[in-house]
Amino acid sequence: MRPILLQGHTRPLTQIKYNPDGDMLMTVSKDPVANIWYSHNGERVGTYEGHQGALWTIDCNKTTTLVVTGSADNTARLWHAETGRQLHVWEFKTAVKRVEFSHDDQYILMVTEERMGHKGTIQVFAVDASRPEQSNEPVVVITPSPSKATVAAWSYLDKYIVAGHDNGTLALYDWKREEAVLTAPGHEGTITDLQMWKDGSYFITSSKDHTARLFETNTLNALKIYKSNTNVNTATLTPTQDLVVLGGGQSASEVTTTSSRQGKFEARFYHKIFEDEVGTVKGHFGPINTLAMQPDGKGFASGGEDGYVRLHHFDADYFEFKYDY
């Protein structure tokens, strides 16, 4: 399995994401440009330029006609996917750390940072794809307490918003009523990533407590725990095999003291049910910050602190892999 190396960023990657069809890969990093690539060959389709600060997050709608990005310049921006034209700017008091379109493409959730006396929030905005001008007034503003939200995602049928917090807790928000229906102790450290299973019935989280965990959406019950021996920055689920993939490594401040072999910078595959590590994919020269799985399960991509995106297409023997138990 030889990766395709995508060199489109000058700073560490912050999020990568496939579009729902899986033919495009969107990438953002701590430089102010978002990129979109063909996932089958790694050819760059185009860029979205206009932000004034580091980009934290990106998403697109189901038809890949609209792209939304969130940045440290305290704005979220809506783009025309095909032309790269900026359609709208939402302005905030603090950085936008996570954006995601709802399943029906009518709303976008945005997680804002807690900074300079401003509370961190989860805000929901209505989006009308038929007209370029969008409303600047949020439909809903949720203020998580006592700890800020770091990540959030829509549940099945957009019924709830699931959020992971700085103190490691999880919350299930009935967003239309702006209240937490359920909270649960998720991790012992900051939750760094949260990715839903395709039907929204469960999700995987990663954390600085050196674990990734699988939770049921309705109850927030922990179903599985995958233990690593270093920070886990990101985790994703594979749709074709019973596997999960974890990415992480020693934090950037400690990296200079170790080689890439000791820094544990590989993507690590675990069996979803039995929680055993079954394989690794090496390559990055720094911690893996973000992972994304192709929707058809035929490949995955990883974005690292080294500024590279590595695009992997699985070999035939991956699909024949049987766990020996």
Side-chain angles (χ1 to χ4, degrees), residues 34-292:
N35 287 318
I36 188 163
W37 318 74
Y38 284 124
S39 62
H40 66 283
N41 63 0
E43 180 189 338
R44 180 153 63 173
V45 181
T47 58
Y48 302 102
E49 299 184 26
H51 280 287
Q52 306 299 315
L55 284 165
W56 289 112
T57 177
I58 190 166
D59 195 22
C60 69
N61 61 355
K62 298 293 169 288
T63 52
T64 322
T65 52
L66 297 174
V67 171
V68 62
T69 52
S71 167
D73 65 5
N74 300 356
T75 67
R77 298 178 190 230
L78 191 68
W79 312 85
H80 188 271
E82 192 177 348
T83 63
R85 187 163 49 90
Q86 185 176 291
L87 300 176
H88 191 76
V89 181
W90 290 277
E91 295 188 354
F92 299 90
K93 297 280 194 290
T94 58
V96 181
K97 300 288 282 192
R98 186 58 71 107
V99 294
E100 188 175 298
F101 273 96
S102 60
H103 297 294
D104 62 6
D105 287 339
Q106 293 186 8
Y107 299 98
I108 302 175
L109 72 78
M110 302 186 189
V111 178
T112 65
E113 180 65 283
E114 186 176 296
R115 277 278 185 280
M116 298 174 295
H118 297 289
K119 287 279 189 194
T121 61
I122 301 169
Q123 302 190 25
V124 177
F125 289 85
V127 180
D128 185 352
S130 63
R131 56 195 182 93
E133 201 51 48
Q134 307 296 332
S135 169
N136 284 318
E137 284 302 310
V139 181
V140 165
V141 178
I142 300 166
T143 307
S145 135
S147 179
K148 67 176 182 184
T150 51
V151 288
W154 296 96
S155 77
Y156 55 90
L157 304 176
D158 304 324
K159 187 175 181 183
Y160 302 112
I161 290 173
V162 184
H165 299 89
D166 195 38
N167 63 0
T169 58
L170 288 167
L172 196 63
Y173 292 102
D174 184 334
W175 61 278
K176 289 180 178 170
R177 286 161 48 193
E178 298 186 30
E179 63 181 25
V181 181
L182 199 59
T183 56
H187 287 268
E188 281 80 61
T190 299
I191 295 177
T192 50
D193 195 12
L194 188 156
Q195 296 194 23
M196 276 283 169
W197 180 240
K198 53 191 173 187
D199 68 1
S201 59
Y202 60 90
F203 58 92
I204 191 166
T205 57
S206 61
S207 170
K208 291 182 178 174
D209 68 2
H210 297 190
T211 67
R213 305 184 191 204
L214 212 59
F215 293 93
E216 189 182 9
T217 305
N218 270 349
T219 61
L220 298 185
N221 286 342
L223 303 173
K224 298 288 172 188
I225 177 166
Y226 311 101
K227 293 178 180 172
S228 174
N229 48 8
T230 185
N231 289 344
V232 185
N233 297 332
T234 178
T236 190
L237 297 150
T238 63
T240 50
Q241 291 275 33
D242 282 331
L243 299 172
V244 301
V245 192
L246 276 57
Q250 282 182 305
S251 62
S253 58
E254 301 162 16
V255 162
T256 51
T257 61
T258 57
S259 70
S260 63
R261 190 164 43 83
Q262 292 167 310
K264 305 177 183 67
F265 305 141
E266 56 265 337
R268 309 172 79 167
F269 286 72
Y270 288 74
H271 195 279
K272 188 197 283 185
I273 311 302
F274 297 106
E275 305 174 359
D276 295 332
E277 188 174 338
V278 296
T280 59
V281 176
K282 295 182 171 62
H284 284 283
F285 293 101
I288 294 175
N289 292 337
T290 174
L291 285 168

Side-chain angles (χ1 to χ4, degrees), residues 5-7 11 13 284-285 302-310:
L5 209 58
L6 310 185
Q7 297 171 277
R11 302 278 317 278
L13 272 290
H284 284 283
F285 293 101
S302 57
E305 190 75 19
D306 55 9
Y308 290 110
V309 177
R310 297 176 79 88

